[in-house]
Amino acid sequence: MPDICAAGQVPPSSTVVLVTVKLGTSGSLAKVVLRLAIERGDLDWEARVRAAHHRLARTPLYAPEEGEYLSSAWSQAHRAFRRALLEGCGNPVLLDAFDRMWTASELGRRWSAHRTPDRDVADEHRQLEEATLARDADTAIDVLTRHLALTATVLAGPKTGSP
């Protein structure tokens, strides 16, 4: 996946609104696909989810050379984790739709991350991994819904330091 923030792009506010809408659409799809993944995923899928979460948890959110925005390494690990969660669904069409929506919303997500210093994103991801691997679809979807809602709130909110 290309690093869309490497060129120093900053989205105008209308782009932030569009990204917020895309997060809602992406979230709706992700909930359905996550439920399928939890139902269909096998042991290899579980191992990929665990490995992707491990990498995400060990990758720093920020890199001094990248300023106040999410680091490229963390963004790549985040995408790999979210993709791994869904791969158990076994449906390439749904996964392709996720990939397209992820790319469309990534610039806004990275651009907004400096606004939430009090947010415990690592714990949100840990809860998502745990519920998914416990095969508790309802809890996993609740955690994902809260995670995406917080992200959308940050994108739509003022640049103040918290959502």
Side-chain angles (χ1 to χ4, degrees), residues 63-143:
E65 66 276 8
E66 294 187 55
E68 63 183 331
Y69 302 101
L70 289 172
S71 74
S72 295
W74 188 89
S75 292
Q76 290 168 4
H78 185 228
R79 186 215 174 270
F81 172 63
R82 288 286 304 283
R83 181 67 153 69
L85 287 169
L86 305 179
E87 286 175 346
C89 79
N91 186 319
V93 173
L94 293 174
L95 293 171
D96 183 56
F98 166 80
D99 289 339
R100 285 193 315 273
M101 285 190 251
W102 181 274
T103 300
S105 61
E106 180 62 2
L107 178 61
R109 188 174 22 257
R110 286 189 59 195
W111 177 80
S112 70
H114 66 285
R115 300 181 193 183
T116 57
D118 343 341
R119 185 175 175 192
D120 192 350
V121 175
D123 187 59
E124 293 171 30
H125 291 134
R126 180 194 54 75
Q127 290 177 37
L128 185 54
E129 179 212 18
E130 287 177 1
T132 298
L133 294 181
R135 304 292 180 137
D136 184 346
D138 291 336
T139 299
I141 290 166
D142 287 346
V143 170

Side-chain angles (χ1 to χ4, degrees), residues 36-49:
L36 286 172
I38 290 170
E39 291 171 4
R40 298 176 180 174
D42 59 12
L43 183 59
D44 288 337
W45 166 74
E46 289 180 4
R48 288 191 305 274
V49 169

Side-chain angles (χ1 to χ4, degrees), residues 6 8 17-18 20 22 26 28-29 49 53 55 63 86 97-98 108 113 126-127 131-132 146 158-159:
V17 171
L18 179 60
T20 303
K22 286 184 182 289
S26 174
S28 297
L29 174 67
V49 169
H53 180 262
R55 178 174 301 279
L86 305 179
F98 166 80
R126 180 194 54 75
Q127 290 177 37
T132 298
R146 283 192 311 272
K159 197 172 182 176

